[in-house]
Amino acid sequence: MKISPREVKLEALLRSSALVADGFMGRDARRAEDVIQADAEILARRGLTPAMVARRMRELTAAGRAGLGDPVETGGLRVSVEEYKGVLVCPWGHPGRYAKRVTTAERPATGAALTWTDLNVHLIEAHGFFEGRGSAFRIEPETAAEFLFPTAAKSE
């Protein structure tokens, strides 16, 4: 299938370090569209959507921010938020600016943890994009599903 000039430009931007160090695709050789589709299928097998994952991440970031730098306990999770100067932009060209904020949620009972940025939340919510394999902030959809929705149906 032929890809449009806009898609070619997006692919190049996702693989470059123009917006973030080492790019959004990591070592993943697949096209972004294929990454998005594969990740959506993983979530769908669990009855989840990227929007549901992003919404839960956003809720946890909000809870963590209330701690003003100290970890916050919520729903069996320990959530901490670190804020840095500056903003990040969406490679798809959305006009928003996303704080350089890193949220880490940990399940103390098991030691399992998940880390994300505000830009991750936007990319998942608006584009279904969890980043490419090997990128610094790739979030594996199955890991996110298991961590954020531990009672959701397991994939077959």
Side-chain angles (χ1 to χ4, degrees):
M1 172 168 72
K2 185 174 175 150
I3 62 175
S4 71
R6 183 173 185 263
E7 290 171 313
V8 169
K9 184 178 178 181
L10 175 63
E11 286 287 330
L13 185 59
L14 290 173
R15 292 182 190 287
S16 78
S17 59
L19 296 179
V20 296
D22 301 322
F24 293 95
M25 293 298 291
R27 66 182 184 287
D28 205 322
R30 299 174 294 169
R31 290 183 38 223
E33 178 181 308
D34 296 332
V35 171
I36 291 166
Q37 182 177 344
D39 291 347
E41 290 170 2
I42 289 168
L43 291 177
R45 286 193 295 268
R46 291 179 165 269
L48 300 171
T49 66
M52 293 166 72
V53 170
R55 185 171 34 253
R56 182 68 178 132
M57 293 165 81
R58 193 180 312 285
E59 290 169 359
L60 291 172
T61 296
R65 289 187 71 202
L68 301 173
D70 291 327
V72 171
E73 304 285 334
T74 180
L77 299 173
R78 180 179 301 124
V79 182
S80 58
V81 176
E82 296 179 55
E83 308 229 11
Y84 302 91
K85 289 184 180 183
V87 294
L88 299 168
V89 297
C90 174
W92 271 263
H94 285 125
R97 302 276 187 253
Y98 303 92
K100 286 188 175 180
R101 180 179 301 129
V102 178
T103 301
T104 300
E106 179 187 4
R107 196 169 299 285
T110 64
L114 190 65
T115 298
W116 62 87
T117 68
D118 285 12
L119 182 58
N120 281 126
V121 175
H122 166 74
L123 293 175
I124 292 167
E125 184 173 54
H127 308 289
F129 185 59
F130 289 76
E131 299 196 25
R133 290 185 186 128
S135 68
F137 282 93
R138 163 78 176 170
I139 297 171
E140 291 297 336
E142 190 157 359
T143 301
E146 289 172 3
F147 185 86
L148 298 169
F149 302 94
T151 58
K154 297 265 184 194
S155 59
E156 297 177 21

